[in-house]
Amino acid sequence: MARALDILSAFSSVHPRLTLSELAEAVGMPRPSVRRIAVTLIERGFLRQDPDGAYLLGVRLLELGSQVSESSAITHRAGAAADELSRMTGETVLIAEVDWESLSLLIIGKRQPVQPPAAATSPVGRRYPLTSGCIGKAVLSGLTPASVATVVPKLRLTPRTATTIVDPALLAAEVAASRDRGYAIQSGEFLVGMAGAAVPVHVSGRVVGALAVVGTAQHYPSPKLHRTGRLVRSMLAQHRPA
């Protein structure tokens, strides 16, 4: 079981296709052993194999991933609000779950507009380090100031764009401002040409992630970002599960 999980974990957005040799090297196992386990994983739908012999993750993982998303606590809490925000704004709406152990964010839900966005947005299942950006600032703003003072120095604030916040003191100030108004905003900090507004999501008193509306920076000047932040905050407050 552990070896099968190691094989599945070897795939990533950077390495979506792996040859048998690459897979064996990645997991530190002999090629015959990897091939034998891979055959079983293919039979169960967890792996696929291209005609050229390269391995890819199978559709069974996609099926299971959708069940994870739909059954998660944050989806239960924010799913209805996400649906309504998508209808009202016509923009991409993201639900992100925070992992405080690894200080990372996982995009667990996405509501896509009928018209494709003008720029790329984060796909479901993508994990990112907790850093600058409206989602990162939103989840941090849900913490107490003392907790923020503990967490922020642990973050790896690497620049994704020219406007990414890499100064811990500046990020802490942005988080404090986000806490005061109840939402976080950003423009170009996480993806070039994209802007967004996000609100922290709490379940049983704990910050479990954030709900965000994202769109092109051209469509979201500062006043509209603030209006959108207030809208996300309002919709999340209105759509509380029974």
Side-chain angles (χ1 to χ4, degrees):
M1 174 66 74
R3 290 183 175 183
L5 293 175
D6 287 342
I7 288 173
L8 295 176
S9 299
F11 294 89
S12 67
S13 58
V14 178
H15 300 291
R17 299 174 76 260
L18 293 169
T19 65
L20 178 60
S21 295
E22 291 170 338
L23 196 51
E25 181 179 356
V27 299
M29 292 168 54
R31 289 177 53 179
S33 299
V34 172
R35 183 185 291 110
R36 183 173 62 254
I37 296 172
V39 168
T40 300
L41 291 172
I42 290 171
E43 291 174 350
R44 300 297 178 89
F46 292 100
L47 280 185
R48 296 173 287 149
Q49 193 169 19
D50 272 353
D52 64 2
Y55 294 97
L56 304 89
L57 292 176
V59 295
R60 179 60 178 151
L61 290 170
L62 185 62
E63 296 169 358
L64 293 174
S66 65
Q67 294 177 33
V68 170
S69 175
E70 293 305 316
S71 64
S72 70
I74 188 172
T75 300
H76 181 66
R77 173 65 184 87
D83 293 338
E84 184 69 7
L85 285 167
S86 178
R87 184 190 66 78
M88 293 178 68
T89 66
E91 299 284 5
T92 298
V93 179
L94 299 175
I95 301 174
E97 187 172 66
V98 63
D99 182 341
W100 293 113
E101 291 294 325
S102 63
L103 296 178
S104 64
L105 292 164
L106 176 67
I107 305 301
I108 199 169
K110 184 175 187 176
R111 309 295 189 267
Q112 194 82 349
V114 175
Q115 294 295 326
T121 56
S122 303
V124 172
R126 180 67 58 83
R127 186 176 294 277
Y128 299 97
L130 182 57
T131 182
S132 169
C134 63
I135 293 177
K137 289 187 288 190
V139 297
L140 289 169
S141 73
L143 300 175
T144 64
S147 295
V148 172
T150 300
V151 171
V152 168
K154 298 177 182 178
L155 302 180
R156 297 180 60 187
L157 301 178
T158 56
R160 293 180 57 90
T161 74
T163 56
T164 299
I165 298 174
V166 295
D167 181 350
L170 180 56
L171 178 58
E174 285 275 327
V175 169
S178 300
R179 183 187 302 108
D180 289 343
R181 61 180 174 243
Y183 60 87
I185 60 173
Q186 69 87 22
S187 183
E189 290 177 24
F190 194 76
L191 291 172
V192 174
M194 297 298 291
V199 171
V201 178
H202 295 79
V203 173
S204 300
R206 295 182 61 253
V207 184
V208 295
L211 175 65
V213 172
V214 297
T216 63
Q218 181 180 2
H219 290 166
Y220 277 90
S222 181
K224 187 175 180 180
L225 274 180
H226 284 282
R227 290 196 301 271
T228 303
R230 292 190 291 270
L231 177 64
V232 178
R233 184 184 62 193
S234 174
M235 288 298 101
L236 189 61
Q238 290 180 33
H239 290 82
R240 293 185 177 276

